[in-house]
Amino acid sequence: MGGSTGINHTRTMRLPYAPSTPPVDAPPDTADIYARIAERRKPRPLIPLDLSLLHSPPVADGWNSFIGAIRSRTMVDSGVMELAVCRVAVLNNAIYEWNAHAPLALKGGITPDQLHAALTLPCTAEGDIAKLESSALTPQQRAVLRYTDQMTRTIRVQDAVFAELKTVGYDDREIVELTTGIAGYNCVSRFLVALDVGENNAREMKSVDELVASLQ
C-alpha cells in the first residue's frame, strides 16, 4: 500500500479514520492497545483496517489478538492459509483483502497457476467441481478450497467435504486453525466491504500477472 497508511484519498471510507496515534484525552489503556497493534504491524505503520477498528479500541485489541494468532501461531502451511483467505476475498468481492493477501500466498509457496485457480474457479458450493478437479491445485488445496466455499457461501459444510480434509492429511488442530482462519477472514472481508476500508470497493482485484511482477 502506498504512502504512510495506504489510504487512497481519491475517495473516502464511509467513516473517518481514527488517529494514527492515541488521542491525548484517551484512557491510559488505549495507548497500550495502539502499542500492541503497532508491534504486530512492525516495521509497517498502522494500516487502514487498524485505523478503522481503532474507533473502538477494545474491539481493535481483541481483533488484533485473534487475527494475530491465526497469522503467526498456527501450524497450517502459510501458503494454504493465504490461499483460503484469497478465496474468501474472491467469493465476497473483498478487493482490499485480495490485493493484500494474494502476494502473501505467492510468497508462501502458492504458484501463480494455483492462485489464478483461486481467483477464477466457479464456486464449488454451487455444485460445480469439474473445473476444480482439473485445476492446478493439489489435493490438499482442493479440499481446502471446497471447505472454504461451503463455509463462506452455504455456511453448512457437507460431511463429505469435511471428511476430505482428513483424507488429504489435515489433523484436528490444523482443521480447527483452517476453520478459524476462514471464518475470521470472512469477518474481515465483511468489515472491509461494508465500510469501504482503504477505498478499494470501486477498484478491481489485481491480476496474478500483476502480483507476480510486483514481487520480482
Side-chain angles (χ1 to χ4, degrees):
M1 301 173 189
S4 61
T5 64
I7 297 171
N8 169 21
H9 291 287
T10 61
R11 55 182 283 145
T12 58
M13 187 180 73
R14 286 177 165 170
L15 296 175
Y17 291 98
S20 57
T21 55
V24 294
D25 58 348
D29 65 339
T30 296
D32 295 335
I33 291 169
Y34 268 79
R36 282 192 287 273
I37 297 171
E39 177 63 25
R40 186 167 77 85
R41 294 296 182 198
K42 194 169 61 174
R44 295 182 299 161
L46 300 183
I47 64 173
L49 176 56
D50 303 323
L51 299 179
S52 306
L53 289 163
L54 278 163
H55 282 296
S56 174
V59 170
D61 197 27
W63 186 294
N64 182 60
S65 178
F66 176 52
I67 297 298
I70 291 170
R71 299 209 54 76
S72 63
R73 300 180 65 187
T74 55
M75 302 296 292
V76 176
D77 175 81
S78 62
V80 169
M81 182 69 84
E82 294 296 348
L83 188 72
V85 173
C86 289
R87 184 63 171 180
V88 169
V90 170
L91 295 173
N92 292 339
N93 198 32
I95 314 301
Y96 183 116
E97 193 168 63
W98 169 268
N99 289 344
H101 287 271
L104 300 178
L106 293 170
K107 290 178 181 178
I110 300 302
T111 69
D113 285 348
Q114 291 164 347
L115 186 60
H116 185 73
L119 176 63
T120 60
L121 283 173
C123 180
T124 61
E126 295 160 5
D128 188 347
I129 65 170
K131 292 183 179 179
L132 172 69
E133 297 301 327
S134 62
S135 73
L137 298 175
T138 67
Q140 291 78 14
Q141 293 165 352
R142 290 198 295 270
V144 169
L145 187 136
R146 289 193 72 187
Y147 191 57
T148 303
D149 284 5
Q150 291 199 355
M151 278 191 63
T152 303
R153 282 288 176 84
T154 59
I155 315 304
R156 186 182 294 269
V157 175
Q158 295 172 348
D159 289 343
V161 170
F162 179 80
E164 187 64 19
L165 293 174
K166 291 200 169 187
T167 298
V168 299
Y170 291 109
D171 64 23
D172 291 356
R173 174 171 176 167
E174 290 171 318
I175 290 172
V176 166
E177 292 173 350
L178 281 168
T179 303
T180 52
I182 294 163
Y185 277 94
N186 263 286
C187 174
V188 173
S189 67
R190 284 161 168 74
F191 185 87
L192 292 170
V193 174
L195 297 183
D196 197 8
V197 177
E199 299 82 36
N200 279 262
N201 286 355
R203 297 183 176 184
E204 294 184 357
M205 292 182 180
K206 292 180 181 178
S207 71
V208 175
D209 288 344
E210 285 181 273
L211 294 164
V212 170
S214 71
L215 295 176
Q216 292 176 344

